[in-house]
Amino acid sequence: MNLPATPADSDAHSLFAFFPPAGYLARMEPVPAAQVPPPYHGLLVHPHHMTVTVEAHHGDKVDVKVLQHIRGVNNYARKILLVTQRTRRVVQFGLVRIRLQYCWPAVCDEILGGQTPLGRILIQHNVLRRIEPTAFLRVLPGPSMMEWFGLKEPLWTYGRQALIHCNGKPAIELVEIVAPEQP
């Protein structure tokens, strides 16, 4: 599959086009940042890595589980889960598209290895980065996402779309959806 090469070709729907959401996403709608309620507001409405944010929120480091990936010449896209190390609870679902030409070779190797969360890789390699949230989403999980999040019934949750600029270049596009807080 050919991956678009420019941010103009990017939005949440284009990322979902690589990984069709029929089985894991029942509904998604944009919401203004001011309408993202707590605790989701604190988890999503900020210019920081979600890896660090969900680790702080859950009091545990997270591992990445790559569910699916697509590799192009200079691009790489993947569908992932972030899972806490101690309890193995899925705390985030994500889609990511990376323009590998904007990342250092060692960073590319680690990303393609699929063993370490993206945020941790960028931090450990001291990549100069700026995280730009571009949209916030209200999401109703579909059957697969319900299973990943350990839900018996669908619960509304929230996510964001973001762009990560690495060394001044628009290198990484993301859709990040956090697990719903269960009553």
Side-chain angles (χ1 to χ4, degrees), residues 71-143:
R71 174 78 193 265
V73 175
N74 288 316
N75 295 285
Y76 172 73
R78 66 186 184 188
K79 177 169 70 172
I80 63 101
L81 302 172
L82 291 183
V83 181
T84 59
Q85 288 184 351
R86 283 194 306 261
T87 65
R88 306 309 296 165
R89 178 176 175 231
V90 174
V91 295
Q92 183 183 305
F93 166 84
L95 299 177
V96 61
R97 178 174 29 201
I98 302 160
R99 288 172 182 75
L100 298 171
Q101 70 269 28
Y102 295 144
C103 299
W104 299 326
V107 171
C108 290
D109 290 345
E110 273 199 69
I111 290 168
L112 295 172
Q115 301 298 310
T116 306
L118 178 63
R120 189 170 304 129
I121 293 169
L122 298 176
I123 291 166
Q124 287 176 344
H125 285 272
N126 206 23
V127 174
L128 179 62
R129 63 209 172 277
R130 178 174 59 88
I131 302 163
E132 174 188 0
T134 57
F136 298 95
L137 310 165
R138 184 173 181 244
V139 176
L140 189 63

Side-chain angles (χ1 to χ4, degrees), residues 1 26 31 52 60 69 71 92 126 130 133 136 142 146 166-167:
M1 177 177 285
V31 295
V52 174
D60 194 5
H69 71 275
R71 174 78 193 265
Q92 183 183 305
N126 206 23
R130 178 174 59 88
F136 298 95
M146 287 173 50
C166 294
N167 300 312

